[in-house]
Amino acid sequence: MERRTVNTDVLIVGGGTAGCYAAITLSNNSDLKILIAEKANIKRSGCLAAGINAINAYIVKGRTPQDYVDYAEKDANGIVRHDLLLSAAENFNEVTHHVEKLGLVILKDENGDYVARGNRNIKINGENFKPILAKAVKNSKNVEVLNNVNITDLLVENNQVYGAVGFSIKENTAYTITAKKIIIATGGAAGIYKPNNPGFSRHKMWYSPFNTGAGYAMGIKAGAEMTSFEMRFVALRCKDTIAPTGTIAQGAGAKQINSKGFVYEDKYGITTSERVYGTVRENQLGNGPCYLKTSAIGEGNSQEFIAQKDEALLKAYLNMAPSQTLKWIESGKNPSAQDVEIEGTEPYVVGGHTASGYWVNTRRETTIKGLYAAGDVAGGCPQKYVTGALAEGKIAALDIVEKWTVQDDYGLTADLQDKSEKIVKNYEIALAGKPVNQQFDVEQLEEAMQKVMDSYAGGITVNYQFNEKQLALADEKLLQLQQLAINLRAKDLHELMFIYELKERLLVARALIAHLLSRKETRWHTFNENLDYPETDEKYFKYVNSIYEHGNFHIVLRDIVKEAAYEHQN
Amino acid sequence: MSIRINQEKCIGCGRCEGVCPGTLICLEKKSDGTKKAKMLYLRDCWGCVSCVKECPRQAIEFFLGADIGGRGSTMTVTNEKDILHWNINKFDGTKTVIDVNRKNANKY
């Protein structure tokens, strides 16, 4: 492999929503050299590839940022960071207005005010949200983008970050990037559990299948503290297409009903986890399938009204999840003529919806000095969604600018140079080495991992429930798979990326197991349904945090942070 | 859930390659010297249709896998300034076109 060294002031790993916005903010506020390393291409990479049709974290008229904090706290049953939620919420509207200036279309009423959808949402045409951000990055003069470069490791010494190592998936080149500050914005982790559609449409999942937990894995390996992995996210989605349901539920006012027509959401509660739990329970009780009652659109309304509503729904999904529109049309029945079947997804680890991710201070610096986290990879701040990812990119960027001091020349110590070379050698071994166990390939090991997690760590098949014996068994099997993964060999650079993605997922899965084992209670149905401890226990009104040391996850239970600011203690 | 690339319509411009969030499409050199887009991993498609919207020749067709209820209908997109024409060719031979103006926000 050719070796290339690149020096920059600030490296952003991952050019999705948070990463792009961090770059734009850095560029608008400094002359620093900024580099984005993105494994795909920033034009459509990350969660917003297909688009999005609402902003779900916005402070609408009559509401305050504190209202948002209170809502998220209640929804997560107390396990949130107040400082993180408040600082994100205080930025929701400003970042929204900025992206509107960049070209985002937002629905307005006759007075020019945004049209609210519910208490925290506004309606947009976000089909091109990501290209808008990518264009703004392109127009930023001091930002460079390395597309198709997959970062696998951070270079950390004495708990300070100095750079990162990765490889191109298009050219036979390994990259060592030195940077004075790094913002990690690689998203969360999908593909750890067996998905809803494990066959041909295995990637027809809700969360991006290309978000493989790379950022979590890099941080875990480098000894960064992680929080709340056990607060898994299981989304309630349209069956088959796994398309979002909020547009139907909130926009069209469709209620959740079981096959007998009974509205069951009142019975189980309406927090995010309770909505999924209710659906799972109704199925267990023999009352499935469950639906969102879109046929309510047709009840007692004029043909014209119904036609209008149907068309608006078909269009709304084209801007976000076009497969759902195709499904409606292919079935020959509009939303008003058939209810939409719903199901829970496989569990994800994703800090944009729940609180899983890096343990950060209020300015989003991780426990590793110089390393920041923004977006789904950052923990403690659930329900931050897209505007939260933008806000965190901005907060991290501004902290870097504020604290910037002229620093020594770029350079790595001999130890870090050795480490970098070792990492690259491992790429070469995987690329050129002789196959060791020819009978195993990435796909097979990935399926094995997903099956283990599904059966023993609370996947779809077991209604998201588990006990400690099963978790211990899962960890034992994951360890075996990690051993097998060492011997995987790649026929090209694309396959090399698949190998690293699998290794990342295996490590994230093991971190998840360690967290699930350490919260000995059931704080959230479905997300953390521990059959050994089916009740909430106030002893666990704490964050479950972990640090990976010498191959083991060291667990720390931390007190809930209620203050407006939080700084890491040594 | 995946895409099919019509090799006759493809002009090898490579725009799809640059928008796939999973880097699943590459340009392949054919024996006659022309370049054609190739879907490398059919089962790894997320269904975001970024490539379908980017293609200037409607050479990329989107479809639902049989495992998620697909019956053979396909979808392409034609861009005309701010208007996206979503063309759905149904399995029964009928056609549906839905026009979405980029300047109009979602009503739901």
Side-chain angles (χ1 to χ4, degrees):
Chain A
M1 270 183 139
E2 191 196 323
R3 281 141 171 85
R4 201 171 290 170
T5 301
V6 182
N7 304 317
T8 188
D9 289 329
V10 184
L11 168 65
I12 297 167
V13 184
T17 316
C20 282
Y21 203 72
I24 296 164
T25 309
L26 281 164
S27 174
N28 285 343
N29 291 280
S30 76
D31 297 319
L32 297 172
K33 258 171 81 175
I34 304 143
L35 179 70
I36 299 178
E38 160 61 48
K39 72 174 170 180
N41 183 306
I42 66 161
K43 186 162 183 192
R44 287 273 182 185
S45 63
C47 295
L48 296 184
I52 183 165
N53 67 24
I55 282 179
N56 292 320
Y58 187 83
I59 311 301
V60 299
K61 255 193 183 159
R63 301 273 170 175
T64 65
Q66 186 59 44
D67 291 338
Y68 199 89
V69 178
D70 297 343
Y71 152 73
E73 181 187 18
K74 196 175 166 203
D75 202 78
N77 206 355
I79 310 301
V80 299
R81 281 269 301 276
H82 290 241
D83 60 320
L84 299 178
L85 275 167
L86 188 63
S87 55
E90 284 170 345
N91 277 288
F92 287 162
N93 292 18
E94 205 181 301
V95 296
T96 303
H97 303 155
H98 186 202
V99 181
E100 185 182 25
K101 266 188 212 147
L102 295 174
L104 181 70
V105 172
I106 305 179
L107 189 65
K108 288 180 176 155
D109 60 19
E110 56 274 17
N111 300 322
D113 293 326
Y114 296 157
V115 177
R117 181 180 99 180
N119 293 325
R120 295 167 287 274
N121 321 51
I122 52 171
K123 304 171 183 187
I124 64 172
N125 182 333
E127 183 279 319
N128 58 349
F129 200 126
K130 191 66 207 301
I132 287 170
L133 287 178
K135 194 175 163 196
V137 168
K138 216 176 155 191
N139 293 338
S140 303
K141 59 179 184 341
N142 45 341
V143 181
E144 240 183 277
V145 180
L146 273 178
N147 282 319
N148 299 127
V149 171
N150 184 49
I151 301 293
T152 64
D153 288 88
L154 296 168
L155 294 173
V156 174
E157 200 169 60
N158 299 325
N159 203 41
Q160 166 86 40
V161 76
Y162 292 94
V165 186
F167 58 88
S168 164
I169 60 166
K170 293 277 180 185
E171 296 157 351
N172 196 24
T173 304
Y175 283 86
T176 299
I177 302 170
T178 71
K180 290 164 185 167
K181 304 279 180 192
I182 295 184
I183 300 175
I184 200 131
T186 48
I192 294 171
Y193 283 84
K194 189 164 104 182
N196 292 83
N197 308 306
F200 180 79
S201 303
R202 64 188 183 188
H203 272 187
K204 189 58 249 166
M205 48 180 65
W206 163 70
Y207 199 56
S208 167
F210 314 117
N211 284 11
T212 55
Y216 296 139
M218 274 179 244
I220 290 168
K221 282 190 281 182
E225 186 169 333
M226 295 287 164
T227 189
S228 307
F229 273 34
E230 79 285 0
M231 196 196 291
R232 306 178 301 170
F233 184 56
V234 177
L236 186 69
R237 291 295 176 257
C238 303
K239 180 146 180 91
D240 294 333
T241 60
I242 319 297
T245 48
T247 301
I248 304 173
Q250 281 177 285
K255 297 271 185 204
Q256 284 173 236
I257 55 166
N258 65 20
S259 63
K260 293 163 184 159
F262 176 74
V263 179
Y264 63 85
E265 57 189 51
D266 308 328
K267 190 170 148 192
Y268 299 95
I270 53 163
T271 66
T272 311
S273 77
E274 286 164 348
R275 281 182 178 281
V276 191
Y277 176 67
T279 308
V280 174
R281 281 299 294 158
E282 286 300 307
N283 274 292
Q284 278 180 301
L285 294 169
N287 297 330
C290 295
Y291 299 92
L292 276 173
K293 197 179 173 188
T294 49
S295 61
I297 298 169
E299 288 170 3
N301 290 316
S302 68
Q303 286 304 316
E304 197 190 339
F305 176 88
I306 296 167
Q308 245 176 29
K309 284 278 179 187
D310 274 334
E311 194 193 342
L313 259 187
L314 293 177
K315 286 185 178 179
Y317 273 87
L318 285 175
N319 288 341
M320 165 182 74
S323 48
Q324 182 60 32
T325 305
L326 182 55
K327 192 166 173 81
W328 270 315
I329 291 188
E330 194 154 41
S331 74
K333 280 187 192 170
N334 277 330
S336 63
Q338 59 175 336
D339 295 326
V340 174
E341 195 179 334
I342 49 176
E343 64 180 336
T345 64
E346 77 273 24
Y348 307 106
V349 179
V350 48
H353 283 251
T354 56
S356 316
Y358 280 85
W359 182 248
V360 291
N361 68 11
T362 311
R363 310 308 304 267
R364 272 60 175 183
E365 190 172 7
T366 71
T367 54
I368 294 175
K369 289 194 179 78
L371 180 70
Y372 290 73
D376 286 353
V377 83
C381 188
Q383 321 257 21
K384 66 187 163 208
Y385 308 134
V386 176
T387 36
L390 299 170
E392 291 194 324
K394 176 185 161 186
I395 292 167
L398 291 181
D399 197 51
I400 288 172
V401 173
E402 277 167 32
K403 293 183 179 150
W404 195 266
T405 47
V406 180
Q407 294 172 49
D408 298 339
D409 285 344
Y410 307 99
L412 296 174
T413 61
D415 280 356
L416 284 182
Q417 283 175 29
D418 279 356
K419 191 187 170 193
S420 171
E421 181 56 26
K422 224 183 239 167
I423 292 162
V424 176
K425 280 256 163 66
N426 279 331
Y427 300 155
E428 290 176 326
I429 291 169
L431 272 172
K434 271 193 184 150
V436 181
N437 293 321
Q438 287 192 41
Q439 66 270 45
F440 300 128
D441 58 16
V442 179
E443 199 160 317
Q444 200 185 143
L445 297 191
E446 184 177 304
E447 280 175 12
M449 168 189 65
Q450 292 179 344
K451 184 182 168 192
V452 165
M453 293 302 286
D454 182 59
S455 326
Y456 299 117
I460 296 170
T461 310
V462 294
N463 296 309
Y464 308 106
Q465 298 168 318
F466 54 83
N467 64 26
E468 289 187 344
K469 282 207 170 107
Q470 290 169 322
L471 291 177
L473 209 51
D475 197 50
E476 193 185 312
K477 289 170 190 289
L478 291 173
L479 255 171
Q480 287 169 10
L481 291 171
Q482 279 187 314
Q483 290 300 318
L484 290 178
I486 293 170
N487 293 326
L488 287 172
R489 297 293 178 259
K491 73 171 192 309
D492 57 30
L493 293 159
H494 215 118
E495 271 193 22
L496 185 65
M497 180 173 75
F498 290 155
I499 291 175
Y500 277 84
E501 289 177 338
L502 172 72
K503 288 178 177 175
E504 287 154 7
R505 283 175 163 134
L506 283 165
L507 189 59
V508 172
R510 290 200 56 222
L512 173 56
I513 301 281
H515 277 253
L516 289 171
L517 277 167
S518 304
R519 184 173 285 287
K520 296 180 188 297
E521 64 161 356
T522 291
R523 181 149 297 260
W524 315 278
H525 282 304
T526 309
F527 293 0
N528 179 49
E529 190 102 29
N530 191 328
L531 294 174
D532 288 331
Y533 308 94
E535 305 295 329
T536 306
D537 182 345
E538 278 318 290
K539 261 197 325 222
Y540 288 93
F541 180 58
K542 293 200 181 254
Y543 309 106
V544 173
N545 286 9
S546 67
I547 300 160
Y548 190 61
E549 290 169 324
H550 314 297
N552 290 305
F553 291 92
H554 172 61
I555 298 289
V556 191
L557 296 183
R558 286 194 183 272
D559 291 336
I560 299 296
V561 177
K562 297 231 173 195
E563 293 72 30
Y566 174 84
E567 189 49 78
H568 298 305
Q569 309 294 321
N570 287 327
Chain B
M1 157 86 21
S2 198
I3 55 158
R4 194 168 49 209
I5 303 175
N6 184 324
Q7 295 292 302
E8 278 170 27
K9 285 186 183 173
C10 176
I11 53 167
C13 68
R15 284 167 63 173
C16 50
E17 187 186 19
V19 292
C20 177
T23 333
L24 302 174
I25 305 171
C26 78
L27 277 187
E28 196 181 37
K29 232 187 180 156
K30 294 282 179 190
S31 50
D32 62 1
T34 59
K35 281 182 177 173
K36 299 282 176 186
K38 185 184 175 189
M39 177 59 170
L40 291 168
Y41 303 93
L42 209 56
R43 288 169 179 239
D44 285 352
C45 174
W46 187 20
C48 72
V49 307
S50 297
C51 57
V52 175
K53 288 183 275 196
E54 199 72 23
C55 179
R57 289 287 191 276
Q58 294 79 54
I60 308 181
E61 297 173 329
F62 174 63
F63 66 94
L64 302 181
D67 60 338
I68 57 169
R71 295 165 74 182
S73 305
T74 59
M75 190 185 241
T76 60
V77 177
T78 324
N79 274 285
E80 214 175 346
K81 284 190 178 165
D82 285 327
I83 313 287
L84 292 184
H85 305 288
W86 295 78
N87 317 301
I88 297 151
N89 291 306
K90 274 185 73 175
F91 61 91
D92 59 10
T94 58
K95 249 183 163 176
T96 302
V97 182
I98 304 175
D99 293 342
V100 179
N101 190 327
R102 276 206 166 113
K103 296 273 190 253
N104 292 339
N106 159 46
K107 297 283 190 325
Y108 270 99

